[in-house]
Amino acid sequence: MAKLKHFGARGKLLDLIKALLNERFYQVIVNGEQLSSPHRVSSGVIQGSVVGPVLFTSYLFDLVGLIKMDTTLFADDCKIYANPLTSAVLLQADLQNDEMWSRQCGMKLNTSKCTVLRIGPDNE
């Protein structure tokens, strides 16, 4: 909500977005018939919603300014492109900035999903 306020969202618009994100629950059907008990949704936006991409972009807006290397964002993924032979120091700084940003914003960086893709003649 603080980031939306920073971008100028006020009044009824902010109230509407807050209502969209708060007090949400989900249930699942087990074996096609048994409905689970309700569980509170603690983060994220409604998948497939029109407002979801706008909220995601506004949330990540300041992260893009911290990363100096070529970057792409899609859904909940951030990809950083670099030639480690010529920009290893900058790449490491970007990774550290990404980790610091995620900690400050209360988002856990899932390091188990982080990978390195090497392209070249010596891909071992």
Side-chain angles (χ1 to χ4, degrees), residues 51-92:
V51 74
V54 174
L55 293 175
F56 177 75
T57 302
S58 64
Y59 198 79
L60 295 181
F61 186 78
D62 53 345
L63 172 63
V64 175
L66 292 174
I67 298 176
K68 306 302 181 218
M69 307 304 296
D70 290 333
T71 307
T72 59
L73 300 171
F74 181 76
D76 62 348
D77 290 329
C78 174
K79 294 185 180 6
I80 302 172
Y81 302 91
N83 180 342
L85 298 176
T86 59
S87 18
V89 173
L90 290 175
L91 178 58
Q92 184 61 45

